Amino acid sequence: MENPIGVFDSGMGGLTVLKELVQALPSEHFVYVGDTARVPYGGKSAETVTRYSIEIANHLITRHDIKLLVVACNTASSLALPAMRKIYKIPVVGMIDPCVRRAAALRRKSSIGVIGTLGTVRSGAYEDALRGAVPSAKVRSIPCPLLVALAEEGWTDNDISRAVIAEYLSPFRSDPPDALILGCTHYPVLKGAIRDFLGEGTVLIDSGEEAAMVVDILLSETQARSKGEARRAEFFVTDDPERFARIGSGFFGRELCDVRRVTL
Ligand code: DGL
């Protein structure tokens, strides 16, 4: 059996990333771990998020012998990636570089917005990477923690979600950015409402879509692509599998069967 690709997130949001990976790489086998017992990571310290991330990565490497790790959680990508890259020999793909790569490739990029959890925005990880890749851009970052709860509630396009989005994104109202990085696993499900608020002039950069492209390129470059047929995804969570399966199916876009509980 060929080695799988490991994907982890603080919970179910990373399923938006897995959805893109499965679509772009149908012959790969994925093992997903959602740390539902310790979610959210968004308000936790760098030390804690790094410790959790390393525990999950160790589990995926020792138990599943993964060939590549995708850190689907933007908060973990912002806070733990440098430490993880020092530890592991396998490629570790986070969400920051793929989004920044896309921003740098845009024609209009003089103003770039970033939205994410408190941890992601406070870390400055996106801003640092953008400063290197698009030095001329004006970067504005806004933490939008309530959007995670709205997405999990399934309130993706109602009066409440529109009001919360309008409040958070009010600094962009009179001056929309050329691009907005959706720097959190949960935001892709709110894309419609965000696009309606900002208008068609702003390109929305989805971390899952961009990461799937980067993983595709990496597998080709390292000749690590699976040669098998359509493969499957396995799901593990650190808390109640039932809630994950029920709400997570909205993020993944299809039913989630056989979600198993794991102790790290
Ligand atoms: N997965 C997290 C992220 O992308 C959002 C949820 C959390 O705070 O753990 O930043």
Side-chain angles (χ1 to χ4, degrees):
M1 191 170 118
E2 288 176 85
N3 302 61
I5 294 175
V7 182
F8 86 86
D9 178 44
S10 54
M12 63 181 74
L15 291 167
T16 60
V17 177
L18 184 67
K19 178 183 172 189
E20 301 299 335
L21 287 164
V22 167
Q23 205 169 305
L25 303 160
S27 37
E28 297 297 330
H29 176 189
F30 294 92
V31 178
Y32 181 98
V33 173
D35 194 6
T36 50
R38 301 187 291 197
V39 70
Y41 284 9
K44 293 193 169 72
S45 68
E47 293 70 32
T48 300
V49 172
T50 302
R51 179 159 53 84
Y52 291 172
S53 302
I54 288 171
E55 278 173 20
I56 300 169
N58 286 346
H59 174 86
L60 282 164
I61 290 167
T62 55
R63 297 290 172 89
H64 297 278
D65 198 14
I66 55 170
K67 61 183 172 187
L68 183 148
L69 177 65
V70 178
V71 181
C73 179
N74 273 266
T75 307
S77 298
S78 302
L79 300 175
L81 213 65
M84 296 178 82
R85 285 204 170 123
K86 279 192 199 140
I87 300 175
Y88 303 113
K89 290 197 185 74
I90 57 165
V92 182
V93 177
M95 298 296 111
I96 316 284
D97 292 345
C99 290
V100 170
R101 171 181 169 271
R102 167 89 166 107
L106 290 173
R107 201 164 48 81
R108 284 178 46 238
K109 51 192 173 209
S110 61
S111 147
I112 300 171
V114 179
I115 54 174
T117 63
L118 263 178
T120 295
V121 170
R122 262 201 221 127
S123 76
Y126 273 109
E127 291 185 8
D128 290 346
L130 285 165
R131 209 171 294 128
V134 202
S136 58
K138 174 172 104 178
V139 180
R140 289 174 288 169
S141 308
I142 303 175
C144 304
L146 282 181
L147 297 188
V148 167
L150 289 176
E152 290 197 10
E153 198 59 38
W155 292 2
T156 54
D157 200 4
N158 65 14
D159 290 349
I160 297 170
S161 52
R162 283 174 186 276
V164 174
I165 286 167
E167 182 63 30
Y168 277 139
L169 302 189
S170 61
F172 295 142
R173 190 190 297 276
S174 56
D175 181 18
D178 296 326
L180 179 71
I181 295 177
L182 305 178
C184 175
T185 47
H186 290 59
Y187 302 171
V189 300
L190 298 156
K191 234 186 226 173
I194 294 172
R195 182 172 291 123
D196 286 350
F197 180 80
L198 291 173
E200 295 294 331
T202 300
V203 175
L204 300 184
I205 300 181
D206 177 324
S207 38
E209 284 174 12
E210 302 309 326
M213 270 186 250
V214 166
V215 171
D216 195 359
I217 294 167
L218 205 61
L219 290 177
S220 293
E221 281 176 357
T222 55
Q223 292 171 1
R225 199 179 281 285
S226 165
K227 289 165 200 78
E229 289 157 15
R231 303 293 287 276
R232 63 204 174 95
E234 291 179 82
F235 302 93
F236 296 91
V237 289
T238 52
D239 198 61
D240 179 25
E242 188 277 325
R243 181 173 188 269
F244 177 90
R246 183 165 41 83
I247 303 176
S249 59
F251 289 81
F252 194 47
R254 62 174 109 145
E255 214 182 312
L256 294 165
C257 337
D258 195 22
V259 180
R260 281 170 279 172
R261 191 165 182 153
V262 69
T263 307
L264 298 173

